[in-house]
Amino acid sequence: MSAIKGARERARTEITAAIKDEARAQLAAEGASRLSLRAVARELGMVSSALYRYFPSRDELLTALIVDAYDAVGEAAETAARDATARPDGSPAVAWTAAARAVREWALAHPHEYALIHGSPVPGYVAPQDTVAPASRVGLVLIGLVREAHRAGGVTTPPLSAALRPEAVRMAAELAPDLPPANAAALVIAWAQLFGLVSFEVFGQFNGVVEDREALFRQAADGLAHSVGLTAPGGPAGG
């Protein structure tokens, strides 16, 4: 009986993966707003009623794709930061730049999936709570690096205006209670700037303006590391 159950589970996993792959192909060809369960079923040679047993609605399929995308870019950032930390020069600043570059590289390799999570909202779709934890993974990597440096006494305090201080205190209490409010506010700003830079490149805003985009991004990533209070021994964060 267990062998039969195992075979069914493997079949379900394979069909689910095939549905997602076809849905991603539709994202690339038509955009998220035109994703259709019927079209996915047709391309896979399935009847719609069979596909509904896997994803009862378009929104549930979208949620699965969104979670997968957040998990993939989050894993890329986590792996890059962990690998950089293991290097002889693996300071938190070096790991920050490595994580930022991994985000960019993933986005450029998966532009349609990046657009799904950081592009225009899909009309009529409201992301459920299921997406919150996956969406936090990159941010948690960045917070973790500043937290690690702070514990080791290797973080400077960025400037903080009087006008922003109350909000910075609130953000620190919610996001990183062990960090000074100035560093917490700087982290939120750097997180937004990181994805702003990536979005400009993915969506073509740098066309005709920036040719060596990798060099620009590396310079920016080093600057963001410095802006949150990270410093690398002997030079810029990225080397």
Side-chain angles (χ1 to χ4, degrees):
M1 193 67 178
S2 60
I4 295 174
K5 182 179 179 182
R8 287 175 176 169
E9 289 175 351
R10 286 194 298 274
R12 183 173 184 85
T13 298
E14 291 172 2
I15 294 171
T16 299
I19 291 170
K20 289 180 179 180
D21 286 345
E22 177 55 35
R24 292 187 187 102
Q26 284 198 19
L27 291 181
E30 303 287 346
S33 63
R34 299 189 66 181
L35 180 64
S36 162
L37 290 183
R38 290 182 179 276
V40 170
R42 182 173 62 250
E43 291 299 321
L44 293 176
M46 300 173 64
V47 295
S48 298
S49 58
L51 190 146
Y52 292 146
R53 291 200 294 268
Y54 295 86
F55 295 101
S57 69
R58 181 210 68 161
D59 284 5
E60 291 198 29
L61 178 53
L62 270 176
T63 296
L65 298 176
I66 288 168
V67 168
D68 283 355
Y70 276 131
D71 277 337
V73 69
E75 182 177 359
E78 291 162 0
T79 300
R82 183 171 59 249
D83 290 350
T85 300
R87 288 163 41 187
D89 63 340
S91 68
V94 168
W96 172 288
T97 298
R101 293 178 70 188
V103 170
R104 172 181 178 264
E105 289 165 6
W106 182 88
L108 292 176
H110 305 87
H112 303 293
E113 292 170 65
Y114 180 85
L116 181 62
I117 56 177
H118 290 295
S120 300
V122 180
Y125 174 78
V126 178
Q129 191 70 19
D130 296 357
T131 62
V132 173
S136 302
R137 289 177 67 169
V138 171
L140 290 175
V141 171
L142 303 181
I143 292 171
L145 293 171
V146 176
R147 180 178 283 128
E148 176 188 344
H150 179 62
R151 284 197 296 261
V155 165
T156 61
T157 303
L160 179 66
S161 70
L164 183 57
R165 178 164 293 279
E167 178 63 7
V169 169
R170 185 199 66 77
M171 288 190 292
E174 183 173 327
L175 300 174
D178 53 335
L179 293 180
N183 294 89
L187 271 163
V188 173
I189 293 168
W191 168 72
Q193 290 176 327
L194 168 61
F195 282 100
L197 283 162
V198 173
S199 293
F200 259 50
E201 186 168 1
V202 171
F203 300 136
Q205 277 88 351
F206 282 151
N207 292 349
V209 179
V210 180
E211 292 187 2
D212 192 344
R213 295 164 192 172
E214 183 172 358
L216 177 76
F217 185 85
R218 188 172 185 124
Q219 174 79 20
D222 287 349
L224 292 177
H226 181 75
S227 76
V228 300
L230 296 178
T231 56

